[in-house]
Amino acid sequence: MTSFDSSPTLNAWRALLALAVVFVMLTSTGWTAVANRRGPGEPLKLALSAWERGRIGVRHLPSPDASPKRLAAFFASLTRGQQEQLAVTYPLVVGNLNGAPVTLRYRANRVALAQARAVEERRMRDTRLSDDGRQQAGRRMNRYESMLSGDRQILAFDPSGKGRAAEVLGDLDRAERVSVIVPGVDTNVLTFERTSRWYSAPAGMAESLYSAERAADADTRTAVIAWADYTAPAGLGVDAAIGKLAEDGAVRLAALTAALPGTSRVSLFCHSYGSVVCGVAAHALPGRVTDVAVAGSPGMRVENAAQLRTDARVWAMRDRDDWIQDVPYMAVGGLGHGADPVARGFGARVISARGAVGHAGYFQPGTESLDNFADIGVGSYPAVSCADGADTCRGGIPDAD
């Protein structure tokens, strides 16, 4: 006998519902996934082309696609002056090379940001641009100014298209535990930070989590990465309903985690479409990734946690008024991202999101959602609060029962 949950009639209705949701997304966003990809050219491609023709002394420069280990060995063989020369001459390349010393990447990205700021300042006065174009240039220039302020540690930066970036809080070289925040839809260089509800943008999420981790365990050396270094869907259009951008982002996420310095343990905190990226990347993550936590997830492109094929612990949370719960949790013809990670049958460790409000409130200070993220990030598993108020989410973790 066929159960009601798997009946052809019910599945057909689910498929129709999924298609209807996508149709509403498209009609309400005006194909934003296509329209919003425009940007000021591809400066990183030009920089890579110059790097491939370049030399340091009589030596050819290594392929930017070389393994992080080989790139690390190359930079270790250079004098400090030679490293600085490469950072200044090829800032967009050095600033994005997994395997290059992180402090050198910070230096290179400051140079790249200053150059990008100068470009946008000129575009602001370019009368050939429309008023909207000049206004957009002004917004980008202000963002680059902010990212250059103080002693911010920009781990990755690419002004191409809508722009990508990653920032580090803490000492990445000496950290015992590293937390990586993977954000979702509409993440780009302009949305990397915000003033209002600052904790809902990647830079603010990282700031909030870093403070919470230090409060949870001041003795553990931690670092947090705001990782907006993949091309996220623009708006709730087709790209948000399929997995293509998640697949591309997953390759970049796996490369990042494999290239982190030292022997730190790594936790991923994946919000919204970012959880799709983490789900696709899970099987390729290095063993140092011990925890993958998702919040407000539309699915991880699997039907259960076992299909992620990872040894990392999988955690999930969703607050009561997050609109994401109304998205059909299914996958039909490439649309949709699979089962609900907080559903009992999925197999994740379901944790409390008490205090979080809406889809973007999981990193708000004072919430159980943020406290739980911080406890996971520092490995303080006994302090994690489960969604059911019991201790079921901590089962099987040494010293956490």
Side-chain angles (χ1 to χ4, degrees):
M1 178 178 291
T2 303
S3 70
F4 180 72
D5 284 342
S6 61
S7 70
T9 301
L10 180 59
N11 285 336
W13 277 109
R14 283 176 170 170
L16 289 172
L17 178 58
L19 292 172
V21 168
V22 172
F23 177 77
V24 171
M25 287 178 176
L26 295 176
T27 56
S28 63
T29 60
W31 294 91
T32 55
V34 175
N36 285 342
R37 278 191 189 163
R38 298 170 184 170
E42 300 291 336
L44 180 56
K45 287 185 177 180
L46 295 175
L48 287 168
S49 178
W51 170 275
E52 290 169 355
R53 299 190 304 270
R55 296 189 179 198
I56 185 75
V58 298
R59 299 171 62 185
H60 290 285
L61 302 179
S63 168
D65 296 325
S67 70
K69 184 176 181 180
R70 181 180 175 190
L71 290 170
F74 167 75
F75 281 99
S77 72
L78 303 178
T79 66
R80 184 166 298 182
Q82 289 174 321
Q83 291 183 1
E84 176 73 10
Q85 179 184 342
L86 289 179
V88 172
T89 307
Y90 308 101
L92 275 179
V93 179
V94 176
N96 292 283
L97 276 183
N98 287 321
V102 293
T103 52
L104 189 67
R105 291 179 66 174
Y106 301 156
R107 166 66 175 138
N109 283 320
R110 291 192 71 84
V111 175
L113 278 162
Q115 292 176 350
R117 176 185 58 186
V119 169
E120 298 303 333
E121 190 172 14
R122 289 193 296 270
R123 294 180 72 240
M124 285 175 59
R125 299 191 295 268
D126 191 340
T127 57
R128 294 171 297 178
L129 295 178
S130 66
D131 290 343
D132 287 343
R134 290 194 296 271
Q135 183 179 29
Q136 186 83 346
R139 292 182 63 202
R140 291 176 74 104
M141 190 195 75
N142 289 336
R143 175 63 65 244
Y144 300 155
E145 284 275 7
S146 176
M147 294 171 71
L148 280 166
S149 64
D151 56 355
R152 294 180 67 172
Q153 301 176 141
I154 305 302
L155 183 67
F157 170 66
D158 178 8
S160 306
K162 302 288 284 184
R164 298 193 297 237
E167 181 177 10
V168 175
L169 299 180
D171 189 339
L172 194 56
D173 280 318
R174 297 180 64 249
E176 298 169 277
R177 288 186 172 270
V178 174
S179 297
V180 181
I181 294 172
V182 185
V185 166
D186 282 331
T187 295
N188 55 60
V189 74
L190 286 179
T191 60
F192 186 67
E193 59 188 39
R194 58 187 301 177
T195 302
S196 175
R197 300 184 73 210
W198 56 275
Y199 55 82
S200 64
M205 291 177 180
E207 181 182 345
S208 187
L209 181 59
Y210 185 57
S211 295
E213 288 185 350
R214 289 167 65 87
D217 185 354
D219 294 328
T220 297
R221 296 192 303 272
T222 62
V224 177
I225 302 175
W227 190 76
D229 194 27
Y230 81 103
T231 301
L236 297 178
V238 170
D239 280 345
I242 62 177
K244 178 61 173 68
L245 292 181
E247 292 168 3
D248 296 341
V251 173
R252 300 180 66 84
L253 179 60
L256 167 81
T257 53
L260 291 174
T263 58
S264 57
R265 296 184 180 183
V266 179
S267 300
L268 305 184
F269 298 95
C270 320
H271 176 243
S272 192
Y273 189 86
S275 66
V276 185
V277 177
C278 290
V280 177
H283 75 281
L285 297 173
R288 69 191 304 182
V289 177
T290 58
D291 298 275
V292 177
V294 303
S297 175
M300 301 179 76
R301 298 198 72 80
V302 293
E303 292 306 309
N304 56 66
Q307 292 179 355
L308 293 172
R309 292 181 291 153
T310 177
D311 292 331
R313 287 173 285 269
V314 180
W315 309 79
M317 68 167 69
R318 186 176 64 221
D319 70 64
R320 292 181 178 180
D321 58 355
D322 189 336
W323 58 262
I324 201 74
Q325 63 190 304
D326 297 322
V327 172
Y329 284 95
M330 58 182 300
V332 178
L335 295 174
H337 302 302
D340 182 355
V342 302
R344 179 177 298 179
F346 187 83
R349 299 171 182 272
V350 184
I351 53 180
S352 173
R354 184 176 301 172
V357 177
H359 187 59
Y362 294 98
F363 290 85
Q364 181 174 355
T367 59
E368 281 193 11
S369 53
L370 177 62
D371 290 343
N372 276 334
F373 282 165
D375 289 330
I376 292 169
V378 299
S380 183
Y381 303 114
V384 174
S385 57
C386 305
D388 58 7
D391 61 358
T392 51
C393 68
R394 299 190 297 270
I397 305 176
D399 301 323
D401 293 326

